[in-house]
PDB file of all heavy atoms in Angstrom:
ATOM      1  N   ASN A  45      -5.627   7.290  -2.831  1.00 97.00           N
ATOM      2  CA  ASN A  45      -6.998   6.835  -2.807  1.00 97.00           C
ATOM      3  C   ASN A  45      -7.625   7.197  -1.439  1.00 97.00           C
ATOM      4  O   ASN A  45      -7.222   6.588  -0.438  1.00 97.00           O
ATOM      5  CB  ASN A  45      -7.110   5.344  -3.051  1.00 97.00           C
ATOM      6  CG  ASN A  45      -6.601   4.950  -4.392  1.00 97.00           C
ATOM      7  OD1 ASN A  45      -5.532   4.384  -4.517  1.00 97.00           O
ATOM      8  ND2 ASN A  45      -7.376   5.273  -5.441  1.00 97.00           N
ATOM      9  N   HIS A  46      -8.547   8.112  -1.408  1.00 96.00           N
ATOM     10  CA  HIS A  46      -9.150   8.548  -0.164  1.00 96.00           C
ATOM     11  C   HIS A  46     -10.344   7.647   0.207  1.00 96.00           C
ATOM     12  O   HIS A  46     -11.502   8.042   0.163  1.00 96.00           O
ATOM     13  CB  HIS A  46      -9.600  10.035  -0.278  1.00 96.00           C
ATOM     14  CG  HIS A  46     -10.002  10.632   1.018  1.00 96.00           C
ATOM     15  ND1 HIS A  46      -9.095  11.227   1.870  1.00 96.00           N
ATOM     16  CD2 HIS A  46     -11.182  10.695   1.704  1.00 96.00           C
ATOM     17  CE1 HIS A  46      -9.738  11.704   2.934  1.00 96.00           C
ATOM     18  NE2 HIS A  46     -10.992  11.323   2.846  1.00 96.00           N
ATOM     19  N   THR A  47     -10.031   6.374   0.487  1.00 96.00           N
ATOM     20  CA  THR A  47     -11.000   5.394   0.904  1.00 96.00           C
ATOM     21  C   THR A  47     -10.306   4.271   1.645  1.00 96.00           C
ATOM     22  O   THR A  47      -9.078   4.087   1.443  1.00 96.00           O
ATOM     23  CB  THR A  47     -11.764   4.870  -0.331  1.00 96.00           C
ATOM     24  OG1 THR A  47     -12.747   3.929   0.090  1.00 96.00           O
ATOM     25  CG2 THR A  47     -10.824   4.184  -1.310  1.00 96.00           C
ATOM     26  N   LYS A  48     -11.014   3.522   2.452  1.00 95.00           N
ATOM     27  CA  LYS A  48     -10.433   2.385   3.110  1.00 95.00           C
ATOM     28  C   LYS A  48     -10.572   1.126   2.281  1.00 95.00           C
ATOM     29  O   LYS A  48      -9.886   0.130   2.533  1.00 95.00           O
ATOM     30  CB  LYS A  48     -11.095   2.140   4.435  1.00 95.00           C
ATOM     31  CG  LYS A  48     -10.695   3.193   5.487  1.00 95.00           C
ATOM     32  CD  LYS A  48     -11.284   2.819   6.849  1.00 95.00           C
ATOM     33  CE  LYS A  48     -10.919   3.862   7.857  1.00 95.00           C
ATOM     34  NZ  LYS A  48     -11.434   3.472   9.192  1.00 95.00           N
ATOM     35  N   VAL A  49     -11.510   1.122   1.289  1.00 94.00           N
ATOM     36  CA  VAL A  49     -11.759  -0.080   0.475  1.00 94.00           C
ATOM     37  C   VAL A  49     -11.847   0.333  -0.976  1.00 94.00           C
ATOM     38  O   VAL A  49     -12.442   1.327  -1.336  1.00 94.00           O
ATOM     39  CB  VAL A  49     -13.096  -0.736   0.879  1.00 94.00           C
ATOM     40  CG1 VAL A  49     -13.396  -1.948  -0.008  1.00 94.00           C
ATOM     41  CG2 VAL A  49     -13.095  -1.114   2.345  1.00 94.00           C
ATOM     42  N   GLY A  50     -11.197  -0.398  -1.865  1.00 92.00           N
ATOM     43  CA  GLY A  50     -11.271  -0.141  -3.305  1.00 92.00           C
ATOM     44  C   GLY A  50     -10.149   0.811  -3.753  1.00 92.00           C
ATOM     45  O   GLY A  50      -9.245   1.178  -2.984  1.00 92.00           O
ATOM     46  N   ARG A  51     -10.238   1.289  -4.974  1.00 92.00           N
ATOM     47  CA  ARG A  51      -9.219   2.158  -5.522  1.00 92.00           C
ATOM     48  C   ARG A  51      -9.836   3.494  -6.024  1.00 92.00           C
ATOM     49  O   ARG A  51      -9.175   4.257  -6.724  1.00 92.00           O
ATOM     50  CB  ARG A  51      -8.521   1.473  -6.697  1.00 92.00           C
ATOM     51  CG  ARG A  51      -7.707   0.277  -6.292  1.00 92.00           C
ATOM     52  CD  ARG A  51      -6.528   0.697  -5.488  1.00 92.00           C
ATOM     53  NE  ARG A  51      -5.579  -0.348  -5.287  1.00 92.00           N
ATOM     54  CZ  ARG A  51      -5.358  -0.963  -4.177  1.00 92.00           C
ATOM     55  NH1 ARG A  51      -6.072  -0.639  -3.098  1.00 92.00           N
ATOM     56  NH2 ARG A  51      -4.478  -1.923  -4.013  1.00 92.00           N
ATOM     57  N   PHE A  52     -11.081   3.773  -5.650  1.00 94.00           N
ATOM     58  CA  PHE A  52     -11.713   5.037  -6.045  1.00 94.00           C
ATOM     59  C   PHE A  52     -12.364   5.653  -4.819  1.00 94.00           C
ATOM     60  O   PHE A  52     -12.888   4.907  -4.023  1.00 94.00           O
ATOM     61  CB  PHE A  52     -12.773   4.777  -7.131  1.00 94.00           C
ATOM     62  CG  PHE A  52     -12.233   4.175  -8.384  1.00 94.00           C
ATOM     63  CD1 PHE A  52     -12.249   2.801  -8.659  1.00 94.00           C
ATOM     64  CD2 PHE A  52     -11.558   4.999  -9.330  1.00 94.00           C
ATOM     65  CE1 PHE A  52     -11.694   2.254  -9.758  1.00 94.00           C
ATOM     66  CE2 PHE A  52     -11.014   4.452 -10.458  1.00 94.00           C
ATOM     67  CZ  PHE A  52     -11.111   3.111 -10.688  1.00 94.00           C
ATOM     68  N   PRO A  53     -12.300   6.932  -4.657  1.00 96.00           N
ATOM     69  CA  PRO A  53     -11.817   7.976  -5.576  1.00 96.00           C
ATOM     70  C   PRO A  53     -10.311   8.104  -5.476  1.00 96.00           C
ATOM     71  O   PRO A  53      -9.653   7.720  -4.525  1.00 96.00           O
ATOM     72  CB  PRO A  53     -12.519   9.198  -5.117  1.00 96.00           C
ATOM     73  CG  PRO A  53     -12.668   9.020  -3.602  1.00 96.00           C
ATOM     74  CD  PRO A  53     -12.918   7.530  -3.453  1.00 96.00           C
ATOM     75  N   LEU A  54      -9.748   8.735  -6.489  1.00 97.00           N
ATOM     76  CA  LEU A  54      -8.345   9.100  -6.548  1.00 97.00           C
ATOM     77  C   LEU A  54      -8.298  10.644  -6.280  1.00 97.00           C
ATOM     78  O   LEU A  54      -8.902  11.396  -7.006  1.00 97.00           O
ATOM     79  CB  LEU A  54      -7.734   8.755  -7.909  1.00 97.00           C
ATOM     80  CG  LEU A  54      -6.251   9.020  -8.060  1.00 97.00           C
ATOM     81  CD1 LEU A  54      -5.440   8.160  -7.067  1.00 97.00           C
ATOM     82  CD2 LEU A  54      -5.839   8.674  -9.492  1.00 97.00           C
ATOM     83  N   ASN A  55      -7.653  11.013  -5.199  1.00 97.00           N
ATOM     84  CA  ASN A  55      -7.653  12.400  -4.794  1.00 97.00           C
ATOM     85  C   ASN A  55      -6.284  13.066  -4.801  1.00 97.00           C
ATOM     86  O   ASN A  55      -5.287  12.387  -4.622  1.00 97.00           O
ATOM     87  CB  ASN A  55      -8.223  12.532  -3.402  1.00 97.00           C
ATOM     88  CG  ASN A  55      -9.697  12.130  -3.352  1.00 97.00           C
ATOM     89  OD1 ASN A  55      -9.997  10.951  -3.265  1.00 97.00           O
ATOM     90  ND2 ASN A  55     -10.566  13.124  -3.443  1.00 97.00           N
ATOM     91  N   LEU A  56      -6.282  14.374  -4.950  1.00 98.00           N
ATOM     92  CA  LEU A  56      -5.122  15.186  -4.839  1.00 98.00           C
ATOM     93  C   LEU A  56      -5.326  16.133  -3.689  1.00 98.00           C
ATOM     94  O   LEU A  56      -6.320  16.839  -3.586  1.00 98.00           O
ATOM     95  CB  LEU A  56      -4.886  15.983  -6.125  1.00 98.00           C
ATOM     96  CG  LEU A  56      -3.585  16.791  -6.247  1.00 98.00           C
ATOM     97  CD1 LEU A  56      -2.413  15.841  -6.332  1.00 98.00           C
ATOM     98  CD2 LEU A  56      -3.635  17.637  -7.498  1.00 98.00           C
ATOM     99  N   SER A  57      -4.366  16.104  -2.709  1.00 98.00           N
ATOM    100  CA  SER A  57      -4.441  16.996  -1.508  1.00 98.00           C
ATOM    101  C   SER A  57      -3.146  17.726  -1.377  1.00 98.00           C
ATOM    102  O   SER A  57      -2.125  17.326  -1.911  1.00 98.00           O
ATOM    103  CB  SER A  57      -4.771  16.164  -0.275  1.00 98.00           C
ATOM    104  OG  SER A  57      -6.055  15.656  -0.328  1.00 98.00           O
TER     105      SER A  57
END
Side-chain angles (χ1 to χ4, degrees):
N45 298 105
H46 191 89
T47 182
K48 288 185 179 183
V49 178
R51 294 291 192 251
F52 299 98
L54 183 62
N55 293 84
L56 187 65
S57 292

